[in-house]
Amino acid sequence: MWWFQQGLCILPVALVLWTAATFIFAYITAVLLKHVDPLVPYISDTGTVAPERCVFGIMLDISAYLGIATMYVRYKQVQALTVEEESKLHKLNLLGLVLGWISSFGMCIVANFQKTTLFSMHLVGAILTFGVGALYILVQTLVSLCMQPHVHGKSIFWVRLSIGVWTFASIISMFVSSVIMYSSLPGVDVAHKLHWIPGETGYIPHIISTISEWSLALSFVSFFLTYIRDFQKVTLRAEVDLQSNHLYDSPHYSITAQVNQSETSPLMAGGI
């Protein structure tokens, strides 16, 4: 059995690989079609113009659904590993699930509301994705702190803490550079500005802002790599509990054939 076939670790692996492929594919397509400059464009700029925006939206929506599934499995795993008396940890775990799902919803908004089409909604989606997503990373880091040493060691906590610091540093850098860029370009519709000339007003803050955005996206995606080892130790199963031995609507049917009333099967088997 390969390592990615153990437990449910295929979920975070698929999330990371698919999201990275989304960014890379959109960037390559946008650059080849000369829709953006090759030197570090905004991620949103690479998914603004057709045809890449169509594929970018679809792929990012799938990433959002993978994120929802991954965060739910993480929630159920922590819940199973936590005794009922640890109410603080249960509340943190539930808070993490809510924040994670909000962040995934924000990703759907970013995917379907391009910055050149409806900038205000795109900005709301970005704040939900990365702002609330950063809080999700913070909560999961605190969960890791509370679960040591009886569930896991300190190393995973320090890794998640480092990624959290990286995430918040990228957010601060992007915010400050974006404010400087917008303030240095009064009257310019920056949302529709896809091409930048080196040396023009606001170019340096723009480059710092775009680098910070790519750094933020990389840190956010990298966080889910820390789930791989944990997810190798968990499986998820579905149980079918039949309420009747037939599927007719009318009550007068009487089927006496024996059926298996407690069929169970794994949702994601390790042998796939």
Side-chain angles (χ1 to χ4, degrees):
M1 180 182 294
W2 295 92
W3 63 269
F4 57 83
Q5 294 177 294
Q6 299 178 24
L8 287 177
C9 73
I10 189 64
L11 274 179
V13 170
L15 172 60
V16 171
L17 292 180
W18 185 267
T19 306
T22 302
F23 296 153
I24 294 172
F25 178 82
Y27 170 80
I28 292 176
T29 306
V31 169
L32 290 178
L33 296 178
K34 301 186 185 303
H35 292 160
V36 297
D37 299 320
L39 184 59
V40 202
Y42 280 114
I43 297 175
S44 299
D45 289 351
T46 65
T48 296
V49 183
E52 60 267 20
R53 77 177 180 188
C54 305
V55 180
F56 181 81
I58 294 174
M59 294 184 70
L60 207 58
D61 282 336
I62 295 176
S63 291
Y65 300 144
L66 288 173
I68 290 173
T70 301
M71 294 166 185
Y72 177 72
V73 172
R74 169 64 178 174
Y75 165 77
K76 295 296 289 184
Q77 184 184 44
V78 173
Q79 188 180 47
L81 291 170
T82 306
V83 297
E84 295 183 1
E85 290 74 16
E86 296 181 286
S87 59
K88 177 182 177 182
L89 192 51
H90 279 293
K91 291 178 181 178
L92 276 176
N93 189 32
L94 179 59
L95 176 61
L97 178 66
V98 173
L99 292 175
W101 281 3
I102 292 175
S103 177
S104 297
F105 175 69
M107 190 178 297
C108 290
I109 296 177
V110 169
N112 296 283
F113 292 88
Q114 291 78 29
K115 60 180 293 188
T116 55
T117 303
L118 196 58
F119 180 72
S120 58
M121 281 300 298
H122 184 84
L123 184 60
V124 169
I127 293 174
L128 292 178
T129 301
F130 294 120
V132 178
L135 295 178
Y136 172 79
I137 292 176
L138 175 62
V139 169
Q140 289 300 327
T141 303
L142 292 176
V143 168
S144 299
L145 176 64
C146 295
M147 294 179 71
Q148 61 171 339
H150 58 285
V151 176
H152 58 68
K154 293 183 179 180
S155 58
I156 193 65
F157 162 72
W158 288 111
V159 170
R160 288 171 180 162
L161 179 62
S162 300
I163 296 176
V165 171
W166 177 13
T167 300
F168 279 96
S170 299
I171 289 177
I172 295 172
S173 176
M174 185 174 67
F175 176 77
V176 172
S177 57
S178 296
V179 169
I180 296 175
M181 178 185 65
Y182 276 90
S183 61
S184 63
L185 296 170
V188 178
D189 188 1
V190 181
H192 288 79
K193 186 176 175 61
L194 302 180
H195 297 278
W196 294 76
I197 301 174
E200 69 175 314
T201 303
Y203 180 76
I204 297 300
H206 163 74
I207 291 297
I208 296 175
S209 179
T210 55
I211 292 176
S212 300
E213 185 187 47
W214 281 93
S215 173
L216 175 59
L218 183 59
S219 67
F220 190 68
V221 171
S222 298
F223 181 81
F224 293 99
L225 292 175
T226 66
Y227 285 170
I228 293 178
R229 188 181 65 177
D230 294 348
F231 277 34
Q232 288 178 331
K233 300 177 176 65
V234 61
T235 57
L236 197 62
R237 302 182 67 87
E239 179 176 346
V240 178
D241 185 14
L242 296 177
Q243 305 299 314
S244 173
N245 61 353
H246 62 79
L247 299 178
Y248 292 101
D249 293 331
S250 301
H252 66 274
Y253 285 98
S254 179
I255 310 298
T256 59
Q258 294 295 321
V259 294
N260 186 356
Q261 297 285 342
S262 60
E263 193 276 339
T264 60
S265 60
L267 290 181
M268 298 186 70
I272 61 173

